[in-house]
Amino acid sequence: MDPISAALLVALVSGAGGAAGTQAWAALGRLVRRPFQRADQAPSEEPIPALRELEALEGHPQDTGRAQVLADVLQRRAAHDPEFARSLTAWLEEAKAVSTGSGDVHNTVSGGSQGNVLQVRDLHGSVTFGTPAAPDAGPAGRTD
């Protein structure tokens, strides 16, 4: 399983990524609240691992130290609960896809004449290349 980034957790709990980020954070909360089950035992009655850390980060959403503690506890829980590990891996892949405002874009344009080239990271809205057509002047010689 890939490591869970404290920066990703801070971004999601802080509301980055808009509605998708909020949904990803809520999904992690539901996942953490599932009963803990070791691979060789029935569901445990002990406190749910990572719940206290999740709630602590919710109370201090910019605290990267708390985020790292949560990430570590999630990894340890996944090591002992195969079903949780599978669900956490799926959650992590979805959460990484959420636009959190971080990340780099590397574009390369090479060769001869490409024509129009647009380099962006996140684009919201339309893009038009070229000159807009002139408005229709109507019939020749007409004055309104």
Side-chain angles (χ1 to χ4, degrees), residues 37-41 80-82:
Q37 184 169 346
R38 293 185 186 273
D40 58 345
Q41 299 174 345
H80 297 287
D81 184 342

Side-chain angles (χ1 to χ4, degrees), residues 106-119:
H106 301 277
N107 296 308
T108 302
V109 179
S110 62
S113 174
Q114 264 75 34
N116 297 321
V117 176
L118 175 66
Q119 294 185 343

Side-chain angles (χ1 to χ4, degrees), residues 36-90:
F36 178 55
Q37 184 169 346
R38 293 185 186 273
D40 58 345
Q41 299 174 345
S44 175
E45 296 299 320
E46 65 188 66
I48 298 173
L51 182 58
R52 185 180 72 217
E53 293 79 6
L54 179 91
E55 291 170 346
L57 183 55
E58 287 174 338
H60 300 87
Q62 298 300 318
D63 189 331
T64 56
R66 290 176 196 259
Q68 187 59 57
V69 169
L70 174 58
D72 294 344
V73 173
L74 289 170
Q75 296 280 67
R76 285 195 303 273
R77 179 173 172 182
H80 297 287
D81 184 342
E83 180 59 33
F84 180 79
R86 283 188 290 278
S87 297
L88 185 61
T89 299

